[in-house]
């Protein structure tokens, strides 16, 4: 019942201050739109980077002269790393397997027929659980007797390091940007609502003087903020949906499919989830913005 | 003086005075049930400001300085018992409004104690101030109406604040507006009302919660003598139900006619506190030029 009254008060206030309400709504719209464009981009880049990092694998080449026993010792070593949780997956690639793989990869496999014997060493292909573990894995196996003296261990160290740095950067930059965006949006909406309250500070003063508690005054303003935030968010989501369907999806389906096939494409956020997040953000922006702003005016 | 004023008044204001003074009996039951008594309201304990026994209003050495060392009040000590009817007089700038604004804690005393219903307002927590204000009906010198709300909505706001249901608001607001002679004007915005009509909306709002203490700052300042008389009669009747009434005014005729306790202020000090007229001693500093 009270809520109904506060809601009516909020609607009255929106009607009485139409221009300011529109300004607050547009502010929320812009903030949510930017947020809504940024979040999927950020998620996409982040997942693309981590897709790359997951392909950082370690090849441990085995000497042709290594005995079966020595190879089993090495296998056990890697198996221990797996039980420790450093290694996600590892496979043994025999000399024959290696040759077959090479044959598949070459444009003209017939060159391999010229070879007198199979020059390719056998290897363990190790997928680290995290690219950051690669160094530890290398350290654990690098002095093993079964290792091939010339090939040894091969893993794309610089690529791994760069990708790791990139992933961290993308992550922190993304969070920082989202944080800045949210703060800016709260301040913007707060400022707009401050206009509304400033225009009505005499009114708030009178309400206080006839015995209204701070919450009695605050509720309608907060509901007003939430309504503006929600309307702005819904319009922003509609615009984002239009852009997604009309531009992004169209581009993605027309784009080089090889890109996605090779797995270098990242996953963006699902649109329904994004909608929920953005509408929630809009409502929260409105409530927090007006809540913060009101405090200054309720001190009479 | 009042007689002469009466004679020169035109039909319109007489008509207004008539509706104000002689409200039909079914609207106002004899023993001033000014409005329908509040029905059982659900309130949290401790949320109601209940005046204790002892004086309703007590000032102890109250000094109020505004910025720039302007003295609003300069050492006022006075006591007003529950149920009294008191006039606060004094020339412009003597500190009447300051006195009143201290009572509802719109202002805080620079030093000294303002005690309302036994509660020292200097120690009242900010969150409790609204409950103090609900127990006091206040008519402001500058009306303080909400500009975007009609007369009815302005009065209704005071009821909504105290948690009355919509039905109750709908029932009581027309009653109280009729009581102050504003029936039929409930749907007007303050800017569509005359100064005197706005003042009566302000009075209606102060009365509607049936306060224990009614404070009015120049409640007849914009009214013709007939209407002023009607307002004073109304205040007297409210006082008879046990409500303490404090009226700040310049209106010599009214004060002289009522023969009640008069507290005279001059430059922030009490210069006289006695029963009687506005100014019994012509050389008194409490006089208005
Ligand atoms: N907000 C303020 N800031 C500074 N000085 C003020 C303020 N309000 C009142 N004063 C000063 O305090 C003194 C008392 O003012 P107050 O309003 O109490 O007088 P008053 O008796 O109500 O006058 P009036 O009959 O004109 O309403 C005056 O000198 C006035 O100028
Ligand atoms: Mg005054």
């Amino acid at each position: 019942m009270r809520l109904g009254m506060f809601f009516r008060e909020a609607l009255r206030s929106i009607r009485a201050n139409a221009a300011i309400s529109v300004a607050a709504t547009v502010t929320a719209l812009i903030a949510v739109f930017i947020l809504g464009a940024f979040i999927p981009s950020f998620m996409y880049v982040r997942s693309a980077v981590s897709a790359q990092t997951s392909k950082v694998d370690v090849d441990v080449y085995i000497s042709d002269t290594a005995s079966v026993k020595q190879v089993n010792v090495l296998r056990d070593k890697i198996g221990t790393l797996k039980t420790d949780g450093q290694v996600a997956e590892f496979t043994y690639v025999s000399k024959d397997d290696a040759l077959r793989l090479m044959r598949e990869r070459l444009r003209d496999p017939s060159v391999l027929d010229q070879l007198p014997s199979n020059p390719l060493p056998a290897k363990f292909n190790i997928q680290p659980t995290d690219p950051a573990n690669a160094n530890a894995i290398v350290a654990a196996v690098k002095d093993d007797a079964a290792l091939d003296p010339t090939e040894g261990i091969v893993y794309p160290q610089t690529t791994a390091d760069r990708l790791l740095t990139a992933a961290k950067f993308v992550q922190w930059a993304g969070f920082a940007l989202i944080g800045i965006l949210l703060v800016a949006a709260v301040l913007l909406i707060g400022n707009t609502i401050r206009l509304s309250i400033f225009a009505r500070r005499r009114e708030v003063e009178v309400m206080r003087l006839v015995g209204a508690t701070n919450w009695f005054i605050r509720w309608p303003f907060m509901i007003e903020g939430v309504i503006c935030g929600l309307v702005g968010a819904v319009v922003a989501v509609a615009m984002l949906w239009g852009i997604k369907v009309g531009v992004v999806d169209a581009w993605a389906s027309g784009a080089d499919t090889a890109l996605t096939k090779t797995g270098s494409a990242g996953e963006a956020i699902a649109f329904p989830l994004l909608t929920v997040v953005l509408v929630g953000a809009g409502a929260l922006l409105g409530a927090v913005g007006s809540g913060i702003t009101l405090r200054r005016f309720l001190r009479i | 003086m009042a007689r002469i004023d009466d004679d020169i008044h035109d039909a319109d204001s007489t008509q207004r005075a008539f509706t104000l003074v002689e409200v039909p009996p079914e609207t106002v039951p004899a023993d001033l049930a000014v409005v329908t008594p509040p029905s059982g309201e659900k309130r949290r304990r401790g949320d109601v400001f209940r005046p204790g026994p002892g004086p309703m209003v007590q000032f102890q050495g109250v000094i109020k300085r505004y910025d720039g060392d302007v003295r609003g009040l300069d050492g006022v000590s006075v006591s007003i018992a529950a149920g009294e009817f008191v006039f606060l007089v004094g020339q412009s700038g003597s500190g009447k409004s300051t006195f009143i604004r201290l009572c509802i804690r719109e202002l805080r005393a620079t030093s000294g104690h303002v005690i309302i219903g036994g509660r020292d307002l200097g120690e009242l927590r900010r969150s409790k101030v609204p409950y103090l204000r609900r127990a006091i009906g206040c008519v402001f010198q500058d009306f303080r109406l909400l500009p975007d709300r009609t007369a009815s909505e302005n009065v209704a706001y005071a009821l909504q604040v105290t948690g009355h249901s919509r039905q109750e608001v709908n029932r009581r607001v027309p009653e109280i507006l009729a009581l102050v002679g504003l029936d039929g004007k409930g749907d007007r915005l303050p800017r569509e009302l005359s100064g005197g009509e706005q003042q009566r909306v302000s009075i209606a709002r102060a009365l509607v919660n049936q306060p224990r203490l009614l404070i009015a700052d120049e409640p007849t300042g914009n009214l013709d003598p007939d209407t002023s008389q009607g307002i004073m009669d109304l205040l007297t009747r409210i006082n008879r139900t046990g409500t303490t009434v404090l009226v700040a005014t310049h209106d010599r005729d009214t004060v002289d006619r009522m023969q009640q306790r008069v507290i005279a202020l001059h430059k922030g000090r009490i210069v006289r506190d006695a029963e009687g007229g506005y100014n019994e001693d012509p050389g008194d500093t409490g006089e208005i030029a």
Side-chain angles (χ1 to χ4, degrees), chain B residues 120-148:
Chain B
D120 189 334
L121 300 195
E123 285 157 19
L124 194 68
R125 293 224 319 269
R126 197 203 299 277
S127 60
K128 297 292 175 204
V129 170
Y131 307 106
L132 166 80
R133 289 173 180 165
R134 292 174 195 181
I136 302 176
C138 193
V139 182
F140 300 94
Q141 188 166 14
D142 51 355
F143 318 140
R144 308 270 182 112
L145 298 176
L146 298 167
D148 293 335

PDB file of all heavy atoms in Angstrom, chain B residues 120-148:
ATOM      1  N   ASP B 120      14.435  17.892  25.417  1.00  0.00           N
ATOM      2  CA  ASP B 120      15.403  18.927  25.026  1.00  0.00           C
ATOM      3  C   ASP B 120      15.750  18.742  23.551  1.00  0.00           C
ATOM      4  O   ASP B 120      16.343  17.727  23.163  1.00  0.00           O
ATOM      5  CB  ASP B 120      16.666  18.812  25.886  1.00  0.00           C
ATOM      6  CG  ASP B 120      17.605  19.998  25.682  1.00  0.00           C
ATOM      7  OD1 ASP B 120      17.568  20.615  24.596  1.00  0.00           O
ATOM      8  OD2 ASP B 120      18.372  20.307  26.615  1.00  0.00           O
ATOM      9  N   LEU B 121      15.377  19.709  22.739  1.00  0.00           N
ATOM     10  CA  LEU B 121      15.567  19.545  21.297  1.00  0.00           C
ATOM     11  C   LEU B 121      17.040  19.536  20.901  1.00  0.00           C
ATOM     12  O   LEU B 121      17.391  19.042  19.833  1.00  0.00           O
ATOM     13  CB  LEU B 121      14.837  20.652  20.523  1.00  0.00           C
ATOM     14  CG  LEU B 121      13.323  20.732  20.712  1.00  0.00           C
ATOM     15  CD1 LEU B 121      12.720  21.599  19.633  1.00  0.00           C
ATOM     16  CD2 LEU B 121      12.687  19.346  20.688  1.00  0.00           C
ATOM     17  N   GLY B 122      17.892  20.086  21.767  1.00  0.00           N
ATOM     18  CA  GLY B 122      19.327  20.051  21.478  1.00  0.00           C
ATOM     19  C   GLY B 122      19.851  18.620  21.489  1.00  0.00           C
ATOM     20  O   GLY B 122      20.864  18.321  20.873  1.00  0.00           O
ATOM     21  N   GLU B 123      19.132  17.746  22.201  1.00  0.00           N
ATOM     22  CA  GLU B 123      19.605  16.361  22.312  1.00  0.00           C
ATOM     23  C   GLU B 123      18.786  15.394  21.473  1.00  0.00           C
ATOM     24  O   GLU B 123      19.036  14.191  21.479  1.00  0.00           O
ATOM     25  CB  GLU B 123      19.558  15.923  23.787  1.00  0.00           C
ATOM     26  CG  GLU B 123      20.680  16.550  24.588  1.00  0.00           C
ATOM     27  CD  GLU B 123      20.367  16.608  26.075  1.00  0.00           C
ATOM     28  OE1 GLU B 123      19.479  15.865  26.530  1.00  0.00           O
ATOM     29  OE2 GLU B 123      21.011  17.414  26.765  1.00  0.00           O
ATOM     30  N   LEU B 124      17.788  15.939  20.776  1.00  0.00           N
ATOM     31  CA  LEU B 124      16.937  15.067  19.962  1.00  0.00           C
ATOM     32  C   LEU B 124      17.713  14.614  18.728  1.00  0.00           C
ATOM     33  O   LEU B 124      18.287  15.435  18.017  1.00  0.00           O
ATOM     34  CB  LEU B 124      15.683  15.844  19.546  1.00  0.00           C
ATOM     35  CG  LEU B 124      14.517  15.032  18.986  1.00  0.00           C
ATOM     36  CD1 LEU B 124      13.913  14.162  20.074  1.00  0.00           C
ATOM     37  CD2 LEU B 124      13.462  15.977  18.437  1.00  0.00           C
ATOM     38  N   ARG B 125      17.727  13.312  18.500  1.00  0.00           N
ATOM     39  CA  ARG B 125      18.441  12.811  17.328  1.00  0.00           C
ATOM     40  C   ARG B 125      17.746  13.285  16.053  1.00  0.00           C
ATOM     41  O   ARG B 125      16.528  13.430  16.009  1.00  0.00           O
ATOM     42  CB  ARG B 125      18.471  11.283  17.335  1.00  0.00           C
ATOM     43  CG  ARG B 125      19.302  10.723  18.480  1.00  0.00           C
ATOM     44  CD  ARG B 125      20.195   9.572  18.015  1.00  0.00           C
ATOM     45  NE  ARG B 125      19.537   8.660  17.090  1.00  0.00           N
ATOM     46  CZ  ARG B 125      18.870   7.585  17.487  1.00  0.00           C
ATOM     47  NH1 ARG B 125      18.754   7.311  18.770  1.00  0.00           N
ATOM     48  NH2 ARG B 125      18.324   6.794  16.592  1.00  0.00           N
ATOM     49  N   ARG B 126      18.559  13.483  15.031  1.00  0.00           N
ATOM     50  CA  ARG B 126      18.015  13.980  13.770  1.00  0.00           C
ATOM     51  C   ARG B 126      16.901  13.074  13.231  1.00  0.00           C
ATOM     52  O   ARG B 126      15.909  13.544  12.686  1.00  0.00           O
ATOM     53  CB  ARG B 126      19.134  14.089  12.733  1.00  0.00           C
ATOM     54  CG  ARG B 126      18.766  14.958  11.539  1.00  0.00           C
ATOM     55  CD  ARG B 126      19.586  14.633  10.334  1.00  0.00           C
ATOM     56  NE  ARG B 126      21.019  14.853  10.534  1.00  0.00           N
ATOM     57  CZ  ARG B 126      21.608  16.022  10.405  1.00  0.00           C
ATOM     58  NH1 ARG B 126      20.907  17.060  10.066  1.00  0.00           N
ATOM     59  NH2 ARG B 126      22.889  16.157  10.603  1.00  0.00           N
ATOM     60  N   SER B 127      17.078  11.780  13.446  1.00  0.00           N
ATOM     61  CA  SER B 127      16.082  10.852  12.901  1.00  0.00           C
ATOM     62  C   SER B 127      14.750  10.956  13.648  1.00  0.00           C
ATOM     63  O   SER B 127      13.727  10.481  13.154  1.00  0.00           O
ATOM     64  CB  SER B 127      16.622   9.427  12.985  1.00  0.00           C
ATOM     65  OG  SER B 127      16.887   9.087  14.324  1.00  0.00           O
ATOM     66  N   LYS B 128      14.747  11.570  14.839  1.00  0.00           N
ATOM     67  CA  LYS B 128      13.504  11.688  15.614  1.00  0.00           C
ATOM     68  C   LYS B 128      12.773  13.003  15.331  1.00  0.00           C
ATOM     69  O   LYS B 128      11.636  13.182  15.762  1.00  0.00           O
ATOM     70  CB  LYS B 128      13.823  11.599  17.122  1.00  0.00           C
ATOM     71  CG  LYS B 128      14.411  10.271  17.542  1.00  0.00           C
ATOM     72  CD  LYS B 128      13.387   9.149  17.410  1.00  0.00           C
ATOM     73  CE  LYS B 128      14.024   7.808  17.718  1.00  0.00           C
ATOM     74  NZ  LYS B 128      13.315   6.692  17.104  1.00  0.00           N
ATOM     75  N   VAL B 129      13.462  13.904  14.638  1.00  0.00           N
ATOM     76  CA  VAL B 129      12.872  15.224  14.391  1.00  0.00           C
ATOM     77  C   VAL B 129      11.522  15.138  13.667  1.00  0.00           C
ATOM     78  O   VAL B 129      10.587  15.846  14.027  1.00  0.00           O
ATOM     79  CB  VAL B 129      13.878  16.136  13.650  1.00  0.00           C
ATOM     80  CG1 VAL B 129      13.209  17.411  13.171  1.00  0.00           C
ATOM     81  CG2 VAL B 129      15.044  16.468  14.561  1.00  0.00           C
ATOM     82  N   PRO B 130      11.381  14.262  12.649  1.00  0.00           N
ATOM     83  CA  PRO B 130      10.068  14.192  11.983  1.00  0.00           C
ATOM     84  C   PRO B 130       8.926  13.914  12.950  1.00  0.00           C
ATOM     85  O   PRO B 130       7.836  14.458  12.792  1.00  0.00           O
ATOM     86  CB  PRO B 130      10.241  13.034  10.997  1.00  0.00           C
ATOM     87  CG  PRO B 130      11.699  13.017  10.705  1.00  0.00           C
ATOM     88  CD  PRO B 130      12.375  13.417  11.983  1.00  0.00           C
ATOM     89  N   TYR B 131       9.169  13.088  13.976  1.00  0.00           N
ATOM     90  CA  TYR B 131       8.094  12.737  14.909  1.00  0.00           C
ATOM     91  C   TYR B 131       7.741  13.916  15.800  1.00  0.00           C
ATOM     92  O   TYR B 131       6.583  14.104  16.166  1.00  0.00           O
ATOM     93  CB  TYR B 131       8.495  11.487  15.696  1.00  0.00           C
ATOM     94  CG  TYR B 131       8.894  10.382  14.763  1.00  0.00           C
ATOM     95  CD1 TYR B 131      10.218  10.008  14.601  1.00  0.00           C
ATOM     96  CD2 TYR B 131       7.934   9.770  13.961  1.00  0.00           C
ATOM     97  CE1 TYR B 131      10.589   9.035  13.692  1.00  0.00           C
ATOM     98  CE2 TYR B 131       8.292   8.787  13.050  1.00  0.00           C
ATOM     99  CZ  TYR B 131       9.619   8.423  12.919  1.00  0.00           C
ATOM    100  OH  TYR B 131       9.965   7.476  12.010  1.00  0.00           O
ATOM    101  N   LEU B 132       8.755  14.716  16.144  1.00  0.00           N
ATOM    102  CA  LEU B 132       8.482  15.965  16.864  1.00  0.00           C
ATOM    103  C   LEU B 132       7.563  16.847  16.024  1.00  0.00           C
ATOM    104  O   LEU B 132       6.556  17.369  16.506  1.00  0.00           O
ATOM    105  CB  LEU B 132       9.804  16.704  17.137  1.00  0.00           C
ATOM    106  CG  LEU B 132       9.645  18.167  17.569  1.00  0.00           C
ATOM    107  CD1 LEU B 132       9.303  18.247  19.044  1.00  0.00           C
ATOM    108  CD2 LEU B 132      10.910  18.982  17.275  1.00  0.00           C
ATOM    109  N   ARG B 133       7.914  16.968  14.753  1.00  0.00           N
ATOM    110  CA  ARG B 133       7.169  17.885  13.894  1.00  0.00           C
ATOM    111  C   ARG B 133       5.744  17.418  13.651  1.00  0.00           C
ATOM    112  O   ARG B 133       4.849  18.225  13.407  1.00  0.00           O
ATOM    113  CB  ARG B 133       7.906  18.067  12.564  1.00  0.00           C
ATOM    114  CG  ARG B 133       9.175  18.882  12.757  1.00  0.00           C
ATOM    115  CD  ARG B 133      10.013  18.927  11.512  1.00  0.00           C
ATOM    116  NE  ARG B 133      11.218  19.721  11.731  1.00  0.00           N
ATOM    117  CZ  ARG B 133      12.270  19.714  10.927  1.00  0.00           C
ATOM    118  NH1 ARG B 133      12.257  18.952   9.852  1.00  0.00           N
ATOM    119  NH2 ARG B 133      13.329  20.449  11.193  1.00  0.00           N
ATOM    120  N   ARG B 134       5.531  16.097  13.714  1.00  0.00           N
ATOM    121  CA  ARG B 134       4.165  15.611  13.534  1.00  0.00           C
ATOM    122  C   ARG B 134       3.307  15.932  14.735  1.00  0.00           C
ATOM    123  O   ARG B 134       2.084  16.037  14.621  1.00  0.00           O
ATOM    124  CB  ARG B 134       4.178  14.096  13.336  1.00  0.00           C
ATOM    125  CG  ARG B 134       4.805  13.701  12.027  1.00  0.00           C
ATOM    126  CD  ARG B 134       4.914  12.209  11.959  1.00  0.00           C
ATOM    127  NE  ARG B 134       5.814  11.828  10.896  1.00  0.00           N
ATOM    128  CZ  ARG B 134       6.089  10.572  10.586  1.00  0.00           C
ATOM    129  NH1 ARG B 134       5.541   9.600  11.279  1.00  0.00           N
ATOM    130  NH2 ARG B 134       6.919  10.298   9.610  1.00  0.00           N
ATOM    131  N   ALA B 135       3.950  16.023  15.907  1.00  0.00           N
ATOM    132  CA  ALA B 135       3.187  16.327  17.115  1.00  0.00           C
ATOM    133  C   ALA B 135       2.872  17.812  17.205  1.00  0.00           C
ATOM    134  O   ALA B 135       2.075  18.235  18.028  1.00  0.00           O
ATOM    135  CB  ALA B 135       3.973  15.874  18.347  1.00  0.00           C
ATOM    136  N   ILE B 136       3.542  18.618  16.390  1.00  0.00           N
ATOM    137  CA  ILE B 136       3.329  20.062  16.378  1.00  0.00           C
ATOM    138  C   ILE B 136       2.692  20.437  15.047  1.00  0.00           C
ATOM    139  O   ILE B 136       3.185  20.063  13.993  1.00  0.00           O
ATOM    140  CB  ILE B 136       4.677  20.810  16.504  1.00  0.00           C
ATOM    141  CG1 ILE B 136       5.399  20.403  17.788  1.00  0.00           C
ATOM    142  CG2 ILE B 136       4.458  22.312  16.461  1.00  0.00           C
ATOM    143  CD1 ILE B 136       6.774  21.014  17.932  1.00  0.00           C
ATOM    144  N   GLY B 137       1.602  21.179  15.126  1.00  0.00           N
ATOM    145  CA  GLY B 137       1.067  21.735  13.891  1.00  0.00           C
ATOM    146  C   GLY B 137       1.659  23.115  13.729  1.00  0.00           C
ATOM    147  O   GLY B 137       1.666  23.901  14.667  1.00  0.00           O
ATOM    148  N   CYS B 138       2.198  23.396  12.549  1.00  0.00           N
ATOM    149  CA  CYS B 138       2.833  24.695  12.390  1.00  0.00           C
ATOM    150  C   CYS B 138       2.299  25.415  11.159  1.00  0.00           C
ATOM    151  O   CYS B 138       2.275  24.866  10.061  1.00  0.00           O
ATOM    152  CB  CYS B 138       4.350  24.530  12.292  1.00  0.00           C
ATOM    153  SG  CYS B 138       5.222  26.080  12.473  1.00  0.00           S
ATOM    154  N   VAL B 139       1.849  26.641  11.392  1.00  0.00           N
ATOM    155  CA  VAL B 139       1.426  27.503  10.282  1.00  0.00           C
ATOM    156  C   VAL B 139       2.583  28.458  10.033  1.00  0.00           C
ATOM    157  O   VAL B 139       2.971  29.215  10.921  1.00  0.00           O
ATOM    158  CB  VAL B 139       0.159  28.299  10.647  1.00  0.00           C
ATOM    159  CG1 VAL B 139      -0.282  29.156   9.465  1.00  0.00           C
ATOM    160  CG2 VAL B 139      -0.948  27.366  11.090  1.00  0.00           C
ATOM    161  N   PHE B 140       3.134  28.409   8.831  1.00  0.00           N
ATOM    162  CA  PHE B 140       4.335  29.202   8.565  1.00  0.00           C
ATOM    163  C   PHE B 140       3.976  30.589   8.052  1.00  0.00           C
ATOM    164  O   PHE B 140       2.971  30.771   7.363  1.00  0.00           O
ATOM    165  CB  PHE B 140       5.213  28.480   7.541  1.00  0.00           C
ATOM    166  CG  PHE B 140       5.660  27.125   8.006  1.00  0.00           C
ATOM    167  CD1 PHE B 140       4.952  25.987   7.665  1.00  0.00           C
ATOM    168  CD2 PHE B 140       6.797  26.992   8.807  1.00  0.00           C
ATOM    169  CE1 PHE B 140       5.355  24.736   8.110  1.00  0.00           C
ATOM    170  CE2 PHE B 140       7.196  25.742   9.251  1.00  0.00           C
ATOM    171  CZ  PHE B 140       6.479  24.618   8.902  1.00  0.00           C
ATOM    172  N   GLN B 141       4.828  31.530   8.401  1.00  0.00           N
ATOM    173  CA  GLN B 141       4.593  32.910   7.982  1.00  0.00           C
ATOM    174  C   GLN B 141       4.508  32.985   6.452  1.00  0.00           C
ATOM    175  O   GLN B 141       3.706  33.711   5.901  1.00  0.00           O
ATOM    176  CB  GLN B 141       5.724  33.800   8.502  1.00  0.00           C
ATOM    177  CG  GLN B 141       5.484  35.274   8.282  1.00  0.00           C
ATOM    178  CD  GLN B 141       6.428  36.139   9.102  1.00  0.00           C
ATOM    179  OE1 GLN B 141       7.420  35.680   9.641  1.00  0.00           O
ATOM    180  NE2 GLN B 141       6.105  37.420   9.205  1.00  0.00           N
ATOM    181  N   ASP B 142       5.361  32.213   5.774  1.00  0.00           N
ATOM    182  CA  ASP B 142       5.339  32.218   4.309  1.00  0.00           C
ATOM    183  C   ASP B 142       4.643  30.964   3.759  1.00  0.00           C
ATOM    184  O   ASP B 142       4.949  30.502   2.667  1.00  0.00           O
ATOM    185  CB  ASP B 142       6.754  32.355   3.756  1.00  0.00           C
ATOM    186  CG  ASP B 142       7.715  31.348   4.376  1.00  0.00           C
ATOM    187  OD1 ASP B 142       7.289  30.621   5.299  1.00  0.00           O
ATOM    188  OD2 ASP B 142       8.884  31.277   3.955  1.00  0.00           O
ATOM    189  N   PHE B 143       3.736  30.417   4.521  1.00  0.00           N
ATOM    190  CA  PHE B 143       2.836  29.307   4.139  1.00  0.00           C
ATOM    191  C   PHE B 143       3.545  27.978   3.924  1.00  0.00           C
ATOM    192  O   PHE B 143       3.078  26.942   4.372  1.00  0.00           O
ATOM    193  CB  PHE B 143       1.999  29.625   2.895  1.00  0.00           C
ATOM    194  CG  PHE B 143       1.444  31.013   2.849  1.00  0.00           C
ATOM    195  CD1 PHE B 143       1.419  31.726   1.663  1.00  0.00           C
ATOM    196  CD2 PHE B 143       0.970  31.622   4.000  1.00  0.00           C
ATOM    197  CE1 PHE B 143       0.912  33.012   1.631  1.00  0.00           C
ATOM    198  CE2 PHE B 143       0.462  32.908   3.980  1.00  0.00           C
ATOM    199  CZ  PHE B 143       0.432  33.610   2.787  1.00  0.00           C
ATOM    200  N   ARG B 144       4.628  27.997   3.142  1.00  0.00           N
ATOM    201  CA  ARG B 144       5.358  26.759   2.832  1.00  0.00           C
ATOM    202  C   ARG B 144       4.455  25.680   2.252  1.00  0.00           C
ATOM    203  O   ARG B 144       4.443  24.541   2.721  1.00  0.00           O
ATOM    204  CB  ARG B 144       6.033  26.196   4.097  1.00  0.00           C
ATOM    205  CG  ARG B 144       6.881  27.202   4.814  1.00  0.00           C
ATOM    206  CD  ARG B 144       8.290  27.178   4.295  1.00  0.00           C
ATOM    207  NE  ARG B 144       9.116  28.119   5.016  1.00  0.00           N
ATOM    208  CZ  ARG B 144      10.111  27.782   5.829  1.00  0.00           C
ATOM    209  NH1 ARG B 144      10.415  26.526   6.005  1.00  0.00           N
ATOM    210  NH2 ARG B 144      10.816  28.691   6.429  1.00  0.00           N
ATOM    211  N   LEU B 145       3.714  26.025   1.253  1.00  0.00           N
ATOM    212  CA  LEU B 145       2.910  25.004   0.577  1.00  0.00           C
ATOM    213  C   LEU B 145       3.749  24.368  -0.524  1.00  0.00           C
ATOM    214  O   LEU B 145       4.693  24.980  -1.028  1.00  0.00           O
ATOM    215  CB  LEU B 145       1.650  25.640  -0.014  1.00  0.00           C
ATOM    216  CG  LEU B 145       0.712  26.269   1.019  1.00  0.00           C
ATOM    217  CD1 LEU B 145      -0.459  26.956   0.332  1.00  0.00           C
ATOM    218  CD2 LEU B 145       0.211  25.239   2.016  1.00  0.00           C
ATOM    219  N   LEU B 146       3.403  23.131  -0.874  1.00  0.00           N
ATOM    220  CA  LEU B 146       4.101  22.467  -1.973  1.00  0.00           C
ATOM    221  C   LEU B 146       3.516  23.008  -3.279  1.00  0.00           C
ATOM    222  O   LEU B 146       2.317  22.846  -3.540  1.00  0.00           O
ATOM    223  CB  LEU B 146       3.916  20.948  -1.881  1.00  0.00           C
ATOM    224  CG  LEU B 146       4.499  20.346  -0.597  1.00  0.00           C
ATOM    225  CD1 LEU B 146       4.023  18.908  -0.403  1.00  0.00           C
ATOM    226  CD2 LEU B 146       6.014  20.401  -0.627  1.00  0.00           C
ATOM    227  N   PRO B 147       4.330  23.674  -4.088  1.00  0.00           N
ATOM    228  CA  PRO B 147       3.809  24.440  -5.225  1.00  0.00           C
ATOM    229  C   PRO B 147       3.148  23.594  -6.311  1.00  0.00           C
ATOM    230  O   PRO B 147       2.253  24.086  -7.002  1.00  0.00           O
ATOM    231  CB  PRO B 147       5.051  25.143  -5.779  1.00  0.00           C
ATOM    232  CG  PRO B 147       6.210  24.363  -5.264  1.00  0.00           C
ATOM    233  CD  PRO B 147       5.789  23.767  -3.965  1.00  0.00           C
ATOM    234  N   ASP B 148       3.571  22.334  -6.447  1.00  0.00           N
ATOM    235  CA  ASP B 148       3.011  21.515  -7.525  1.00  0.00           C
ATOM    236  C   ASP B 148       1.779  20.737  -7.088  1.00  0.00           C
ATOM    237  O   ASP B 148       1.284  19.900  -7.837  1.00  0.00           O
ATOM    238  CB  ASP B 148       4.065  20.519  -8.028  1.00  0.00           C
ATOM    239  CG  ASP B 148       5.210  21.235  -8.702  1.00  0.00           C
ATOM    240  OD1 ASP B 148       4.982  22.352  -9.194  1.00  0.00           O
ATOM    241  OD2 ASP B 148       6.322  20.679  -8.729  1.00  0.00           O
TER     242      ASP B 148
END
